[in-house]
Amino acid sequence: MAEDNADINLDENAGDSSSPAKGKNKLGNLIPGMLKWILIAVGAVILIVVVVFITIKLVNNNSSSQPTIQMSEEYKEQREILDWYTSLGVIRTKTSDDIPASVVVNIALGYKKDDKATATEITARKIELTDFLRRYFTEKTIAELKPQNEEKLKIELRNAINDEILSNSKIRDVSFQQLDVVEQ
């Protein structure tokens, strides 16, 4: 009987010893499997973050955040502050149309700030300037004096005054204090 008990005890011990070994194998296989999936998930997250970051960088480099507006070179920099000569007075004339319109214009000439030479030359040539402006507007038609052509007129006047009237100095800008075209 003792032998029978010994066999039983041996079998029980053998059964007990094999059970924990099987449990350790399951637990031992479970941890590497979980680590494998955790590492795959972390790797996927890192890959997604890198791809998103690179994509955002490329998109931001290829397109600006604000649409660009084309500007003339004249306005790209801050416009300079000018002194203005406003003593030419009001000039009245008629257009060159078949049925002429009356033109009433008062012009201011802009020149470099604190430029005494230009102010002196404009004052000395006031009569020439007034005559030139009267002739200039007499040669224009009603269509050429429309509001949408004002910038073109200002540039033409500035260039003509600098080339034909002034010799030692230059004006930088022309402004209309009044430009009335009255059709009859």
Side-chain angles (χ1 to χ4, degrees):
M1 259 179 119
E3 289 178 15
D4 288 335
N5 285 339
D7 286 337
I8 294 175
N9 286 340
L10 288 176
D11 288 340
E12 287 176 9
N13 287 339
D16 288 342
S17 65
S18 67
S19 292
K22 287 182 182 176
K24 284 184 182 178
N25 281 342
K26 286 182 184 177
L27 188 61
N29 289 339
L30 182 65
I31 290 175
M34 283 180 51
L35 285 176
K36 178 177 83 173
W37 286 109
I38 290 171
L39 289 175
I40 289 173
V42 168
V45 168
I46 291 172
L47 179 68
I48 291 170
V49 168
V50 168
V51 168
V52 168
F53 181 75
I54 291 172
T55 304
I56 289 173
K57 281 287 195 184
L58 289 174
V59 169
N60 285 340
N61 287 340
N62 290 339
S63 66
S64 63
S65 60
Q66 294 180 352
T68 58
I69 300 171
Q70 296 295 329
M71 292 180 129
S72 68
E73 292 296 322
E74 196 173 312
Y75 291 100
K76 282 191 178 179
E77 298 175 10
Q78 183 180 5
R79 293 197 51 163
E80 66 180 323
I81 297 173
L82 302 174
D83 280 338
W84 292 91
Y85 185 84
T86 57
S87 299
L88 289 174
V90 176
I91 299 167
R92 298 177 202 286
T93 189
K94 296 193 180 287
T95 61
S96 64
D97 295 303
D98 292 336
I99 302 172
S102 295
V103 178
V104 179
V105 65
N106 189 2
I107 294 180
L109 304 176
Y111 56 92
K112 196 172 186 179
K113 188 100 173 133
D114 299 324
D115 185 359
K116 304 293 182 203
T118 303
T120 303
E121 187 173 4
I122 292 172
T123 303
R125 297 184 183 271
K126 182 177 177 181
I127 301 297
E128 293 175 68
L129 281 166
T130 305
D131 183 54
F132 169 78
L133 292 170
R134 184 192 51 77
R135 281 185 287 118
Y136 178 83
F137 286 102
T138 301
E139 294 171 358
K140 295 294 179 187
T141 62
I142 295 170
E144 293 172 318
L145 297 175
K146 297 259 184 209
Q148 59 266 26
N149 297 330
E150 276 191 26
E151 285 303 314
K152 180 182 171 193
L153 289 171
K154 289 176 182 182
I155 292 168
E156 282 179 12
L157 279 169
R158 181 193 65 204
N159 293 340
I161 290 170
N162 285 336
D163 295 342
E164 297 176 26
I165 307 294
L166 301 177
S167 58
N168 298 328
S169 54
K170 303 287 183 200
I171 61 169
R172 306 250 180 170
D173 201 1
V174 172
S175 275
F176 296 119
Q177 291 179 312
Q178 179 182 5
L179 176 58
D180 296 330
V181 179
V182 181
E183 298 181 47
Q184 299 178 3

